[in-house]
Amino acid sequence: MTSPQAESTLTYAADLTREDVTALETFLNAQLGRVSEVVGETGETSFAMQSLLILVSDSAGFLHVLLRLEQPDLWQRAAIVREWQRLRSTAHPFNHCEGFDHDRWWNQVRHYDATDERAEQERIIRLAGEAVLDEGPAPTE
């Protein structure tokens, strides 16, 4: 189940396309590559930049594999949300740069789809109700 605004604003991970992942990875590589040029090829900051580029590549690669699945399992759905959020959060500080897709990358994606979102809301309501019952009656004076 996808959101009605899937063509522009990204609300659910189910609306992600492989093109979204490729575009975000390309954007991040351009931004991080630009910073790496300034940092140079030696020193601790250089090592950190290389590590970050590897993490971006690994997250994007994992997402590409997961997005090929027609019916992802629950853990795979959670992994899709997590990996997309990881890439999106990494790109967010560069939101002022040319090429940042505000419609697709600005909002956090918290759920795989509307069904997962409803299930979480119901779980929270149920747990809140159980917490109230566990507290027992309010003390009287």
Side-chain angles (χ1 to χ4, degrees), residues 33-128:
R34 186 175 48 80
V35 173
S36 288
E37 287 177 10
V38 174
V39 168
E41 296 181 13
T42 59
E44 295 297 317
T45 307
S46 172
F47 302 149
M49 290 304 300
Q50 291 170 14
S51 295
L52 185 54
L53 285 164
I54 291 168
L55 287 172
V56 166
S57 177
D58 287 351
S59 277
F62 188 37
L63 260 173
H64 278 290
V65 169
L66 291 169
L67 291 177
R68 287 188 188 117
L69 302 171
E70 286 188 35
Q71 297 291 327
D73 292 334
L74 191 57
W75 75 268
Q76 292 163 327
R77 293 161 68 112
I80 290 169
V81 172
R82 183 190 67 240
E83 293 304 316
W84 177 256
Q85 272 308 111
R86 181 174 293 163
L87 288 174
R88 192 208 67 83
S89 296
T90 303
H92 199 266
F94 298 103
N95 69 69
H96 63 283
C97 296
E98 185 176 329
F100 185 89
D101 187 340
H102 285 82
D103 287 337
R104 300 296 280 180
W105 307 340
W106 185 261
N107 294 324
Q108 289 187 15
V109 173
R110 297 174 190 260
H111 305 282
Y112 182 77
D113 59 14
T115 302
D116 283 0
E117 183 177 26
R118 273 192 308 277
E120 182 179 348
Q121 289 170 348
E122 290 169 2
R123 185 179 67 79
I124 290 168
I125 290 169
R126 186 182 71 250
L127 290 173

